[in-house]
Amino acid sequence: MDYQHILNSIQTELSSTPYTGKVASYIPQLEKIDPKKFGMHLFCINSGHYNFGDSNERFSIQSISKVFALTRATSLVGNELFRRVDVEPSGNPFNSLVQLEYENGIPRNPFINAGALVISDILISLLDNPKKDFLDFIHKITGTTTIDINIKVFESEKTYSHRNAALLNLMKSFGNIKNDINTVLDFYMYQCAIEMSCKELSTAFMIYANGGKRLLDGEQIIPSRKVKRINAIMQTCGFYDEAGEFSFRVGLPGKSGVGGGIAAIHPGQYAVTVWSPPLNPKGNSELGMYALERLTTLTGLSIF
Ligand code: GLN
């Protein structure tokens, strides 16, 4: 497969594709990003790296971090994890409160904010230094130790944390948050504020494309049976109330973030990341989704 040729075609096509999406503004620092940024990086298991555009520039990974948090939690806890967070698509926006009330404080899945807050709570209970553990994990799977948080984004999200605090308070009233609310909020926002490039995210996501093994040296980072489950949750819940549309148009397990990134995998084939800040009304990168749709169309392959 000539991936570079396909990526070049996508780049050409996208340079003249109009968009109506808006860069996320509810976290003030994110709004400062140039909406024209666009990068794509595909890391193929067999043939290496392909890319174009701003694929080496770091951006705010935001909710893509929820995949790493779930990975750490599934490594540390068994099936009892899924008593505190379900694995059903929510069909609701990423920061919705409504289902939590009638579902007794059990979030629909780990990839909406409520679910990721429960995962953060679990990691805080289990780890002495959850922030360090989290960054160490990302350094380990990417082999890049300079990856860090953007302090300005972290501080900026604090000015907007009321809704996430509301989710935490509601879940705590049902007994599904064990630690101090501000501690959980702080750790959750820390994860969201991590910055990575398309290349670094594709390298990190290679463990999900490669049965839990780091490609570099074959080290089994997580058991393959756990990767299967994480990939299943990415497929059904990775795009909030647009997970069905993403499956329909793209057909790969993946995860988006409001920083405009989308990381996706084709198990056994590749990990791919796109970055384009303008978001569609569901909070997913508009052109990013389009680029991935073109990728699975032009390669003629998706998991379906
Ligand atoms: N930090 C963001 C929030 O909690 C992450 C949301 C997202 O990327 N969808 O609102």
Side-chain angles (χ1 to χ4, degrees):
M1 187 77 68
D2 189 348
Y3 285 120
Q4 193 58 54
H5 180 72
I6 289 171
L7 260 59
N8 292 346
S9 308
I10 294 172
Q11 181 177 28
T12 309
E13 215 180 299
L14 282 167
S15 59
S16 58
T17 303
Y19 61 84
T20 54
K22 299 263 176 301
V23 178
S25 57
Y26 73 91
I27 300 175
Q29 196 64 28
L30 291 184
E31 203 182 5
K32 297 188 177 158
I33 305 294
D34 177 359
K36 294 264 185 289
K37 292 281 179 193
F38 198 99
M40 185 162 184
H41 187 103
L42 186 146
F43 185 9
C44 173
I45 290 189
N46 297 318
S47 60
H49 296 272
Y50 306 90
N51 56 70
F52 69 74
D54 304 306
S55 60
N56 278 315
E57 187 169 328
R58 288 182 178 159
F59 59 92
S60 196
I61 68 170
Q62 293 296 320
S63 280
I64 300 174
S65 63
K66 292 176 169 68
V67 181
F68 304 135
L70 176 65
T71 306
R72 284 305 290 135
T74 53
S75 299
L76 299 165
V77 195
N79 271 344
E80 62 269 30
L81 177 77
F82 297 106
R83 282 203 284 271
R84 291 184 59 188
V85 54
D86 209 344
V87 291
E88 289 298 336
S90 67
N92 271 307
F94 64 88
N95 54 8
S96 172
L97 281 142
V98 289
Q99 277 166 338
L100 274 182
E101 169 69 358
Y102 59 81
E103 293 183 351
N104 303 318
I106 307 292
R108 275 287 171 117
N109 66 68
F111 294 159
I112 51 174
N113 286 16
L117 290 163
V118 168
I119 298 290
S120 297
D121 184 56
I122 290 169
L123 292 175
I124 289 168
S125 297
L126 293 171
L127 297 165
D128 291 338
N129 191 342
K131 288 182 180 173
K132 181 175 181 309
D133 178 277
F134 199 79
L135 260 191
D136 284 351
F137 177 69
I138 291 178
H139 294 167
K140 183 173 178 179
I141 58 177
T142 54
T144 305
T145 53
T146 54
I147 294 169
D148 205 346
I149 70 157
N150 180 320
I151 290 283
K152 284 187 182 158
V153 171
F154 178 61
E155 295 294 333
S156 180
E157 186 162 2
K158 284 190 180 166
T159 63
Y160 153 81
S161 52
H162 313 297
R163 186 168 270 271
N164 286 327
L167 289 166
L168 279 167
N169 275 290
L170 187 54
M171 291 190 288
K172 196 160 176 96
S173 77
F174 285 105
N176 201 16
I177 293 293
K178 313 292 179 198
N179 295 285
D180 167 62
I181 279 169
N182 286 326
T183 309
V184 181
L185 199 52
D186 180 79
F187 177 43
Y188 167 81
M189 291 186 299
Y190 181 90
Q191 297 159 49
C192 292
I194 289 171
E195 288 191 316
M196 294 167 76
S197 67
C198 292
K199 181 178 187 183
E200 289 162 347
L201 275 167
S202 293
T203 305
F205 268 66
M206 183 49 93
I207 63 167
Y208 308 107
N210 193 34
K213 286 186 187 153
R214 193 164 58 175
L215 195 62
L216 181 71
D217 55 4
E219 184 183 333
Q220 191 81 45
I221 305 285
I222 29 162
S224 61
R225 66 178 200 285
K226 295 196 174 184
V227 167
K228 268 195 317 196
R229 291 181 146 191
I230 294 168
N231 292 351
I233 304 173
M234 279 201 260
Q235 184 68 41
T236 51
C237 311
F239 299 86
Y240 319 114
D241 42 346
E242 205 169 31
E245 177 87 7
F246 192 84
S247 271
F248 183 74
R249 283 176 46 194
V250 179
L252 300 174
K255 184 74 200 84
S256 63
V258 293
I262 301 177
I265 53 146
H266 191 159
Q269 306 279 337
Y270 59 73
V272 62
T273 305
V274 283
W275 174 46
S276 167
L279 307 178
N280 68 21
K282 304 278 169 102
N284 298 313
S285 170
E286 181 181 335
L287 292 183
M289 227 165 126
Y290 183 68
L292 292 173
E293 180 177 358
R294 294 302 294 148
L295 175 69
T296 53
T297 302
L298 293 170
T299 56
L301 293 171
S302 81
I303 67 159
F304 302 105

